[in-house]
């Protein structure tokens, strides 16, 4: 684990379902009904309560749009909440993918504040099944979070949880360079 930004940003390599933050973020899909990758891992480890809460939201508002976020219980996970956000599918970069990925981070952080969340962990949204280039995604994630933290005092800590070495190294390089 490495700390940056006066301890406000932490970088961890590992499994986000194990993180004891107030909220962990899920890279969901528009259906909110679960999928592969980190989404599957969160639903498996968190149990049925999370899916039930997602179904209830879906029944009320329909699909979750790309770039937007919703919040549920974290079920059996050590976190208190799961914030589900829908990352963009990478389609070459001309379909507003970068803006939409930034929206994921900003909307998740805003929802965190609305729910008095102080510590929040993010996976590398869109960089798995959705094929967003890992280097671009890492830069956008870090820039979005830093911008948000500058303007919002109430978040104590943002944890970037990287599952693979490549992403961990990219985050480390960018965060170190900007210290
Ligand atoms: P997307 O559909 O948004 O691309 P994926 O779940 O396929 O979502 O991938 C997003 C990122 O989450 C990838 O970098 C993947 O390696 C990572 N990931 C997969 N499982 C976990 C996990 N248990 N904890 C943290 N990150 C994970």
């Amino acid at each position: 684990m490495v700390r940056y930004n006066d301890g406000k940003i932490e970088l961890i390599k590992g499994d986000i379902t194990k993180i004891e933050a107030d909220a962990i973020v899920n890279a969901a899909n528009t259906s909110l009904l679960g999928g592969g990758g980190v989404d599957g891992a969160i639903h498996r480890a968190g149990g049925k309560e999370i899916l039930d809460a997602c179904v209830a939201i879906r029944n009320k508002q329909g699909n979750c749009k790309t770039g937007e976020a919703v919040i549920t219980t974290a079920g059996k996970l050590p976190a208190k909440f799961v914030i589900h956000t829908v990352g963009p599918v990478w389609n070459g970069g001309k379909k507003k993918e970068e803006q939409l990925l930034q929206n994921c981070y900003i909307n998740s952080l805003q929802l965190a504040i609305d729910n008095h969340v102080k510590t929040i962990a993010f996976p590398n949204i869109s960089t798995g099944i959705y094929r967003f280039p890992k280097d671009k995604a890492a830069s956008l994630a870090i820039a979005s979070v830093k911008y948000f933290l500058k303007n919002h005092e109430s978040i104590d800590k943002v944890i970037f949880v990287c599952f693979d070495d490549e992403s961990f190294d990219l985050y480390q390089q960018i965060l170190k360079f900007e210290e």
Side-chain angles (χ1 to χ4, degrees):
M1 187 255 284
V2 202
R3 289 203 176 88
Y4 301 95
N5 224 44
D6 297 328
K8 284 215 149 199
I9 295 179
E10 239 172 61
L11 179 62
I12 290 179
K13 193 173 161 263
D15 178 354
I16 201 164
T17 64
K18 305 270 188 331
I19 301 286
E20 287 182 35
D22 292 338
I24 64 165
V25 176
N26 181 18
N29 58 50
T30 53
S31 79
L32 295 175
L33 299 180
V38 70
D39 197 2
I42 287 172
H43 280 283
R44 266 195 308 279
K48 192 170 170 293
E49 237 188 299
I50 300 179
L51 185 61
D52 289 346
C54 285
V55 169
I57 291 171
R58 210 184 131 77
N59 288 342
K60 221 155 96 195
Q61 67 161 56
N63 280 354
C64 182
K65 294 199 187 87
T66 304
E68 295 186 358
V70 301
I71 190 165
T72 67
T73 170
K76 292 187 282 185
L77 298 176
K80 290 193 200 117
F81 301 104
V82 176
I83 292 176
H84 307 259
T85 187
V86 182
V89 176
W90 180 261
N91 265 311
K94 300 230 164 71
K95 298 262 160 68
K96 298 205 164 70
E97 292 96 325
E98 300 197 7
Q99 182 62 54
L100 290 166
L101 187 60
Q102 287 178 44
N103 293 351
C104 287
Y105 285 92
I106 299 299
N107 288 330
S108 296
L109 287 163
Q110 188 57 56
L111 195 53
I113 287 191
D114 297 344
N115 288 276
H116 312 291
V117 162
K118 302 275 181 202
T119 55
I120 176 170
F122 282 97
N124 307 145
I125 301 164
S126 281
T127 66
I129 299 158
Y130 285 179
R131 306 181 315 270
F132 205 106
K134 286 178 191 284
D135 53 346
K136 271 198 179 65
S139 302
L140 285 172
I142 292 166
S144 307
V145 163
K146 281 194 167 176
Y147 173 78
F148 193 91
L149 289 177
K150 241 187 222 163
N151 296 296
H152 299 84
E153 292 277 302
S154 68
I155 299 273
D156 289 340
K157 192 166 65 180
V158 174
I159 308 164
F160 289 116
V161 183
C162 297
F163 204 55
D164 55 88
D165 287 321
E166 189 188 350
S167 288
F168 183 83
D169 291 345
L170 280 165
Y171 272 78
Q172 202 166 26
Q173 274 169 31
I174 298 166
L175 286 163
K176 236 193 235 161
F177 180 75
E178 291 179 357
E179 274 290 273

